[in-house]
Amino acid sequence: ISYLTSALCDELKWTTKSSKEKLAFAALFHDIAIKETKLCSLTYSDDRVLKGMDEDKRKTYFQHPIQAAELVKELDTKYPQVGDIIIQHHERPDGSGFPKGLTHHNIPALSSLFIVAQDYVMRASLSDFKKTPSEIIEEIAPVYTEGHFKKCLSAMRKLLDS
């Protein structure tokens, strides 16, 4: 995720060192509050695992972005936005994500870039890297049609479809 977010920043000409550092820290720590490793690989559409959880475990999972941001709060002093990127890493452009149900209107550029990159990396990983970049991009494309998401997906196409 860190490498892809950095490459996307370059493609988008968002090349400040600070932006890349914030995204790298978010990539390292976004799931730090998850205690069960298998839950780190949940995709947005994979709710079969969530349906099998008891209510307390499900609540804990849906709160992990907030808990992770709290754990790395010290970073926000030097790298503002890291906590926000972590909190927002499961948000969706249409408002169907969590923990706050934000829409593309309320998700800033760096968070949008992180969300698109994370979705791509998770799908590549879950397919054991058997899907081509084009297949994964076409799979996620219908989701990222608004705001910063659209621009980030376009940059990903340029970067990975070549």
Side-chain angles (χ1 to χ4, degrees), residues 62-128:
F62 284 118
Q63 290 298 308
H64 86 266
I66 294 169
Q67 294 165 346
E70 192 63 35
L71 290 171
V72 298
K73 202 171 198 137
E74 291 174 25
L75 286 174
D76 265 354
T77 306
K78 187 169 181 182
Y79 301 99
Q81 295 178 301
V82 171
D84 291 337
I85 295 167
I86 290 172
I87 288 171
Q88 295 165 358
H89 80 272
H90 283 293
E91 297 292 354
R92 306 293 277 164
D94 66 359
S96 65
F98 67 91
K100 297 181 179 181
L102 301 175
T103 67
H104 68 278
H105 297 290
N106 306 103
I107 301 172
L110 287 181
S111 291
S112 299
L113 187 145
F114 186 88
I115 291 165
V116 172
Q118 182 203 16
D119 196 0
Y120 176 88
V121 169
M122 292 309 301
R123 289 171 192 259
S125 176
L126 290 170
S127 76
D128 290 326

